[in-house]
Amino acid sequence: MSKLLLVDDDAELSSMLEQILTKEGFQLTLAADGEAGLERALSGSYDLILLDVMLPGIDGFQLLQRLRQQARNTPVLMLTARGDDDDRVAGLELGADDYLPKPFYPKELVARVKALLRRTPHTSVRPEKSEYAGFVIDPSQNEARCDDTQLDLTPTEFDILRTLVRAHGEVVSKDALSVAALGRSLAPFDRSLDVHISNIRKKLPTDPERIQTVRGRGYRIIQFA
Amino acid sequence: MRWYHSLSLRLLFLFWVLLFAVASSGYLLALWFSKPIAPSPVPEAVQSSLAPLLSDVNTFRSLTPGRLLAGDYRVAASLAPSGQERLQLDRSLSASHRRLLLSQLEADKPQQIPIGNRMLIGPFKLDGYSLLVTRPITAEEREQQVVSEQQTQRVQTLALLIGSLAIAILLGAWLVMPLRRLTHATREIAKGSEKPELKRLPKRNDELGELARALATTAHDLAVSRDAQRRLLSDVSHELRSPLARMQVALMLSQDDDDGTDREQHLGQLGRDLERLSTIIERILSLSRLENGLVNLQTEAVDVRELVSQLVKDLGYVDPQHGQRLQVHDSDDWPVIDSDPELLRLVLENLIRNALQYTDDAIEISCQALPESYTVFVRDHGQGVPEDQLEQLFTPFYRADPSRNHKAGVGLGMALSLRAAAVLGGYVDARNHPDGGLEVAVTLTRST
């Protein structure tokens, strides 16, 4: 049974979501403010954290930042009632795996949660090492290297990079990457994949452009001299 | 701005200085480049033809200006070693060439120099007496003079051309460059810049500096108001999305609720959120109407005590417990004023509701009437508000209690009161009462 942590100060919404997610077979823990949320996120072992942005005390972004600083790579799904795109993408830039704008259909939430959780067994299906252009991905060790430097990636970033390395320089469409890493197709105007790619590039020791954007088609890894 | 900072004065002064500079540079250049009419030695022929006259001392002494000599020579000036009329000058020449005549008299040896259409020759000296003579200029000499004058004219024209070019460049640097910078800055503002690049323009003391400063202020104000609008939009969107999110979840729960045991609860949730949504929308619209001056004031005589009593009765009707907590100071001097009763009620109702929602104890409503104005106080006995947050109380969607307590209002009450009071010609301010609790005061001027 997967353990989820829901950090949201909207008590009515939280209790209703608890009913729904419990019914779906998840074990849910609630936290009503940022401090309590961070404490639980750091102490307990959760398979997924559902995180609201607007929280009393430390907000969702700060919570996420501190969580990632402690090198906790628990998948995080941001729930945001803010309207603008910048706010949505801001969470991804800080290392969230996916976001869901409020209001959402509860079924969509359940689907996203399942998609993010599904990756772990999905990874173990083909645990063989893959190598290309200086990248070495070892799913059995959960280890990614670039030019012999270990990369500290979130699970989503790991899955994206693994998919690109396996393609051996072939272009992988954005949609295929999204399915592989987020377990879902991309919605129109969805910039989440681009943000994840940009996060991976920032983590590469040299030559971030070796993950190349192929306009209108997707991404690929190129051999860098 | 002081009068001497005025751009018109500066322009006038600049033009004057530049024109003067060009004119004088033309003159100076002409002097510099034109072949100066230098004195030349007196030819032998002249010396010899005059020699008989000038060798005799008596004749020499008797020669006075104006006197005609042989061969069209005429005496121009004479200088005696002593006597009453030591210096004598030809009147017609001394009018315009006095200085030249005098310097010529002082010269060491005879020389000739053209003045007008005559040639000045001298000085001839004998026994302490000096003498200058003139003769008509020859055709050859005349031609030489014309050539020299033409040359002078050409130099002057050249100097004027170069000078006017210099004026244009100076004007460009001084006047046109700032204008271009201002244009550029305006474009930057249009693109949304808060601090347009104005370089040192705002430091100027003249009209252009004033314009630059006004532009900088405008850019800042625009940015502030744009940020406020963006924040309001973002807040509005957040406030609308939260109840919508709950409604969607509640709807699904009630649909999946096969045995119908919790249906009541889910429908209750839906109803609460619907009500909340419509309250938010209605209040945002009211706020917008008040801010944009779309409210028609219906002024009539309003008994403020009567209005407050009615308000207390209405609130008590909805929730008797609320009614008990409201204490109106009846002994105060409550005025009857000309105002819009609906709007005044809106101001007071929002303040009282706020006090009811955020505190649990008694709420005092009192009045203080002054000759010019009157103030209604709404004071609660809660914990008060941190001093640094008092101002923010009137910001839309600001809540003093950061945890989202959904029983509390939608966060627009204070903002509405403030705007409505402003429309009535008054203001609302909040302070922490010295004896504890928050005190909000509505001050309105008495209409005359």
Side-chain angles (χ1 to χ4, degrees), chain B residues 310-326 349 352-353 356-357 359-360 363 407:
Chain B
Q310 190 61 45
L311 194 52
V312 168
K313 209 193 278 172
D314 290 350
L315 288 169
Y317 181 76
V318 179
D319 185 341
Q321 215 195 340
H322 279 176
Q324 281 163 20
R325 285 169 56 199
L326 296 171
E349 184 175 349
I352 295 170
R353 272 184 191 277
L356 285 170
Q357 275 160 352
T359 64
D360 299 319
I363 290 151
K407 287 190 198 78

Short mmCIF file of all heavy atoms in Angstrom, two decimals, chain B residues 310-326 349 352-353 356-357 359-360 363 407:
data_model
loop_
_atom_site.label_atom_id
_atom_site.label_comp_id
_atom_site.label_asym_id
_atom_site.label_seq_id
_atom_site.Cartn_x
_atom_site.Cartn_y
_atom_site.Cartn_z
N GLN B 310 -30.66 49.31 13.56
CA GLN B 310 -31.26 48.42 12.57
C GLN B 310 -30.27 47.32 12.19
O GLN B 310 -30.62 46.13 12.09
CB GLN B 310 -31.65 49.23 11.33
CG GLN B 310 -32.51 48.47 10.32
CD GLN B 310 -33.83 48.03 10.95
OE1 GLN B 310 -34.50 48.80 11.64
NE2 GLN B 310 -34.19 46.76 10.75
N LEU B 311 -29.00 47.73 12.00
CA LEU B 311 -27.94 46.81 11.60
C LEU B 311 -27.74 45.75 12.68
O LEU B 311 -27.66 44.55 12.39
CB LEU B 311 -26.65 47.62 11.39
CG LEU B 311 -25.49 46.97 10.68
CD1 LEU B 311 -25.93 46.39 9.36
CD2 LEU B 311 -24.41 48.03 10.43
N VAL B 312 -27.71 46.21 13.94
CA VAL B 312 -27.51 45.27 15.07
C VAL B 312 -28.68 44.30 15.13
O VAL B 312 -28.50 43.09 15.33
CB VAL B 312 -27.37 46.07 16.38
CG1 VAL B 312 -27.47 45.13 17.58
CG2 VAL B 312 -26.07 46.83 16.40
N LYS B 313 -29.90 44.81 14.90
CA LYS B 313 -31.09 43.96 14.94
C LYS B 313 -31.01 42.89 13.85
O LYS B 313 -31.26 41.71 14.09
CB LYS B 313 -32.35 44.83 14.75
CG LYS B 313 -33.58 44.25 15.45
CD LYS B 313 -34.84 44.93 14.98
CE LYS B 313 -35.08 46.25 15.72
NZ LYS B 313 -36.21 46.99 15.12
N ASP B 314 -30.62 43.33 12.65
CA ASP B 314 -30.54 42.39 11.51
C ASP B 314 -29.50 41.31 11.76
O ASP B 314 -29.73 40.13 11.49
CB ASP B 314 -30.20 43.14 10.22
CG ASP B 314 -31.36 44.00 9.76
OD1 ASP B 314 -32.46 43.86 10.35
OD2 ASP B 314 -31.17 44.81 8.83
N LEU B 315 -28.33 41.71 12.28
CA LEU B 315 -27.28 40.73 12.52
C LEU B 315 -27.70 39.76 13.62
O LEU B 315 -27.39 38.57 13.56
CB LEU B 315 -25.97 41.44 12.91
CG LEU B 315 -25.27 42.18 11.77
CD1 LEU B 315 -24.15 43.07 12.31
CD2 LEU B 315 -24.70 41.21 10.76
N GLY B 316 -28.41 40.29 14.63
CA GLY B 316 -28.89 39.45 15.71
C GLY B 316 -29.96 38.48 15.26
O GLY B 316 -30.08 37.38 15.78
N TYR B 317 -30.73 38.88 14.26
CA TYR B 317 -31.78 38.02 13.73
C TYR B 317 -31.17 36.79 13.08
O TYR B 317 -31.64 35.67 13.24
CB TYR B 317 -32.61 38.81 12.71
CG TYR B 317 -33.74 38.03 12.13
CD1 TYR B 317 -34.91 37.78 12.86
CD2 TYR B 317 -33.66 37.52 10.83
CE1 TYR B 317 -35.94 37.05 12.32
CE2 TYR B 317 -34.68 36.79 10.28
CZ TYR B 317 -35.83 36.56 11.03
OH TYR B 317 -36.85 35.84 10.50
N VAL B 318 -30.06 37.01 12.32
CA VAL B 318 -29.39 35.90 11.64
C VAL B 318 -28.73 34.99 12.67
O VAL B 318 -28.79 33.78 12.56
CB VAL B 318 -28.33 36.43 10.64
CG1 VAL B 318 -27.61 35.28 9.96
CG2 VAL B 318 -29.00 37.32 9.60
N ASP B 319 -28.08 35.58 13.66
CA ASP B 319 -27.38 34.79 14.67
C ASP B 319 -27.55 35.50 16.02
O ASP B 319 -26.88 36.48 16.29
CB ASP B 319 -25.89 34.67 14.30
CG ASP B 319 -25.16 33.76 15.26
OD1 ASP B 319 -25.67 33.52 16.38
OD2 ASP B 319 -24.07 33.30 14.90
N PRO B 320 -28.47 35.00 16.87
CA PRO B 320 -28.78 35.68 18.13
C PRO B 320 -27.53 35.90 18.99
O PRO B 320 -27.42 36.91 19.68
CB PRO B 320 -29.75 34.72 18.83
CG PRO B 320 -30.33 33.89 17.74
CD PRO B 320 -29.28 33.78 16.67
N GLN B 321 -26.59 34.96 18.92
CA GLN B 321 -25.37 35.10 19.70
C GLN B 321 -24.59 36.34 19.28
O GLN B 321 -24.03 37.07 20.09
CB GLN B 321 -24.52 33.85 19.51
CG GLN B 321 -23.76 33.47 20.76
CD GLN B 321 -22.67 32.49 20.45
OE1 GLN B 321 -22.71 31.82 19.42
NE2 GLN B 321 -21.70 32.41 21.33
N HIS B 322 -24.56 36.59 17.97
CA HIS B 322 -23.90 37.79 17.45
C HIS B 322 -24.57 39.04 18.00
O HIS B 322 -23.90 39.99 18.39
CB HIS B 322 -23.95 37.81 15.92
CG HIS B 322 -22.89 36.95 15.30
ND1 HIS B 322 -22.79 36.76 13.95
CD2 HIS B 322 -21.89 36.24 15.84
CE1 HIS B 322 -21.78 35.97 13.69
NE2 HIS B 322 -21.21 35.63 14.83
N GLY B 323 -25.91 39.00 18.01
CA GLY B 323 -26.66 40.15 18.48
C GLY B 323 -26.31 40.52 19.91
O GLY B 323 -26.17 41.69 20.26
N GLN B 324 -26.10 39.48 20.72
CA GLN B 324 -25.80 39.74 22.13
C GLN B 324 -24.43 40.37 22.31
O GLN B 324 -24.19 41.09 23.29
CB GLN B 324 -25.86 38.43 22.92
CG GLN B 324 -27.28 38.00 23.24
CD GLN B 324 -27.35 36.54 23.64
OE1 GLN B 324 -26.35 35.95 24.03
NE2 GLN B 324 -28.55 35.98 23.56
N ARG B 325 -23.52 40.09 21.41
CA ARG B 325 -22.16 40.60 21.57
C ARG B 325 -22.04 42.07 21.17
O ARG B 325 -21.05 42.72 21.46
CB ARG B 325 -21.20 39.77 20.71
CG ARG B 325 -20.91 38.40 21.32
CD ARG B 325 -20.20 37.51 20.34
NE ARG B 325 -18.99 38.12 19.86
CZ ARG B 325 -18.35 37.76 18.74
NH1 ARG B 325 -18.83 36.79 18.01
NH2 ARG B 325 -17.26 38.38 18.38
N LEU B 326 -23.02 42.58 20.43
CA LEU B 326 -22.91 43.96 19.94
C LEU B 326 -23.45 44.94 20.96
O LEU B 326 -24.60 44.83 21.40
CB LEU B 326 -23.68 44.10 18.62
CG LEU B 326 -23.12 43.25 17.46
CD1 LEU B 326 -24.06 43.28 16.28
CD2 LEU B 326 -21.74 43.73 17.06
N GLU B 349 -21.48 47.64 8.22
CA GLU B 349 -21.80 46.21 8.30
C GLU B 349 -20.53 45.37 8.12
O GLU B 349 -20.29 44.41 8.85
CB GLU B 349 -22.84 45.83 7.25
CG GLU B 349 -23.24 44.37 7.37
CD GLU B 349 -24.37 44.00 6.43
OE1 GLU B 349 -24.99 44.91 5.84
OE2 GLU B 349 -24.62 42.79 6.30
N ILE B 352 -18.38 45.58 11.26
CA ILE B 352 -18.95 44.85 12.40
C ILE B 352 -18.85 43.33 12.16
O ILE B 352 -18.44 42.58 13.04
CB ILE B 352 -20.41 45.29 12.64
CG1 ILE B 352 -20.44 46.75 13.06
CG2 ILE B 352 -21.05 44.42 13.70
CD1 ILE B 352 -21.82 47.36 13.10
N ARG B 353 -19.16 42.92 10.93
CA ARG B 353 -19.06 41.49 10.60
C ARG B 353 -17.64 40.98 10.81
O ARG B 353 -17.41 39.90 11.34
CB ARG B 353 -19.44 41.26 9.14
CG ARG B 353 -20.91 41.04 8.93
CD ARG B 353 -21.14 40.73 7.46
NE ARG B 353 -22.55 40.75 7.13
CZ ARG B 353 -23.36 39.71 7.32
NH1 ARG B 353 -22.88 38.59 7.83
NH2 ARG B 353 -24.62 39.80 7.01
N LEU B 356 -17.03 40.48 14.38
CA LEU B 356 -17.75 39.29 14.86
C LEU B 356 -17.01 38.02 14.45
O LEU B 356 -16.91 37.07 15.23
CB LEU B 356 -19.17 39.27 14.27
CG LEU B 356 -20.17 40.24 14.88
CD1 LEU B 356 -21.45 40.27 14.04
CD2 LEU B 356 -20.51 39.84 16.32
N GLN B 357 -16.48 38.02 13.24
CA GLN B 357 -15.86 36.80 12.72
C GLN B 357 -14.50 36.52 13.35
O GLN B 357 -14.14 35.38 13.56
CB GLN B 357 -15.68 36.92 11.20
CG GLN B 357 -16.94 36.53 10.45
CD GLN B 357 -16.95 37.08 9.06
OE1 GLN B 357 -16.11 37.87 8.67
NE2 GLN B 357 -17.92 36.64 8.28
N THR B 359 -13.26 37.75 16.35
CA THR B 359 -13.11 37.72 17.81
C THR B 359 -14.33 37.06 18.43
O THR B 359 -15.32 36.78 17.74
CB THR B 359 -12.98 39.14 18.39
OG1 THR B 359 -14.18 39.86 18.13
CG2 THR B 359 -11.80 39.88 17.78
N ASP B 360 -14.25 36.80 19.74
CA ASP B 360 -15.32 36.05 20.41
C ASP B 360 -16.04 36.86 21.48
O ASP B 360 -17.03 36.42 22.02
CB ASP B 360 -14.74 34.78 21.05
CG ASP B 360 -14.13 33.87 20.01
OD1 ASP B 360 -14.74 33.73 18.93
OD2 ASP B 360 -13.03 33.33 20.24
N ILE B 363 -18.42 43.55 21.28
CA ILE B 363 -17.98 44.54 20.31
C ILE B 363 -18.71 45.84 20.61
O ILE B 363 -19.95 45.85 20.71
CB ILE B 363 -18.28 44.06 18.88
CG1 ILE B 363 -17.34 42.90 18.54
CG2 ILE B 363 -18.09 45.19 17.87
CD1 ILE B 363 -17.93 41.94 17.57
N LYS B 407 -14.50 29.83 7.91
CA LYS B 407 -15.69 30.42 8.49
C LYS B 407 -15.58 31.94 8.39
O LYS B 407 -16.56 32.65 8.36
CB LYS B 407 -15.83 30.01 9.94
CG LYS B 407 -16.26 28.55 10.06
CD LYS B 407 -16.62 28.23 11.51
CE LYS B 407 -16.63 26.74 11.72
NZ LYS B 407 -15.26 26.20 11.85
#
